[in-house]
Amino acid sequence: MGNIKIHHGGFSTRLELEHASVVAGFPSPADDYRHDTLDFNRDYIRHPEASFYGDVEGDSMKDAGIFDGDRVIIDRAVEPHNGSIVVAFWNGEFTMKFLDLTHRDEGYIELRPANDRYPIFRIDNSDRFEVWGVVVHLIRTFE
């Protein structure tokens, strides 16, 4: 189903950046004088008290570029909208999917995977369902 494990994290690390951008052409001479820091609290966490890490398990969101083993940052204070990637608590499990609200007037919503091998989940009033948070950032480790 593409489960996700939720972890509360401390977001206090600052990383020194020699270059804040990666240029695919010729570097600018001004880059030699550029120095900045990457501060996860300042740059990525809008609501520290409502933000969590999630470790992705499975491949149900692979066509959205989210793969097994990736880490996402989930913000519970962000209001979800149609098309948001959400972490939902549905019938006793956490799952990460696109939120589809286009059928709300018909009495249901859908959770849509980003992989054709997985089904679309139809959620109605009989389900135990909560949008637990909105995925706001993706962290991927290459090596």
Side-chain angles (χ1 to χ4, degrees):
M1 172 153 70
N3 291 328
I4 187 164
K5 290 184 179 176
I6 307 297
H7 307 279
H8 194 276
F11 300 98
S12 62
T13 303
R14 289 178 191 238
L15 302 174
E16 296 293 323
L17 295 178
E18 290 300 320
H19 298 281
S21 62
V22 177
V23 180
F26 294 102
S28 167
D31 284 345
D32 291 339
Y33 303 100
R34 198 172 184 173
H35 189 75
D36 198 1
T37 61
L38 174 65
D39 180 333
F40 279 91
N41 282 326
R42 177 192 70 211
D43 299 333
Y44 293 100
I45 309 301
R46 288 182 278 177
H47 309 105
E49 69 288 346
S51 295
F52 296 82
Y53 290 114
D55 291 331
V56 178
E57 295 179 343
D59 64 351
S60 71
M61 294 301 287
K62 73 175 187 73
D63 293 340
I66 303 172
F67 300 103
D68 185 68
D70 284 349
R71 180 165 280 170
V72 292
I73 298 175
I74 305 149
D75 192 331
R76 295 195 71 189
V78 171
E79 186 70 29
H81 57 82
N82 187 56
S84 291
I85 298 175
V86 299
V87 172
F89 191 72
W90 178 51
N91 293 333
E93 293 186 36
F94 285 107
T95 189
M96 181 176 52
K97 302 284 185 278
F98 283 110
L99 180 65
D100 182 345
L101 301 174
T102 59
H103 301 282
R104 185 183 277 175
D105 292 342
E106 299 166 53
Y108 69 95
I109 63 172
E110 293 178 336
L111 293 178
R112 295 183 163 271
N115 183 337
D116 291 339
R117 291 185 18 224
Y118 291 86
I120 296 168
F121 299 120
R122 184 175 167 157
I123 312 297
D124 60 32
N125 288 335
S126 67
D127 289 297
R128 290 181 19 230
F129 176 78
E130 173 188 359
V131 172
W132 194 81
V134 176
V135 174
V136 293
H137 295 289
L138 170 68
I139 302 169
R140 176 170 299 135
T141 301
F142 292 102
E143 294 185 29

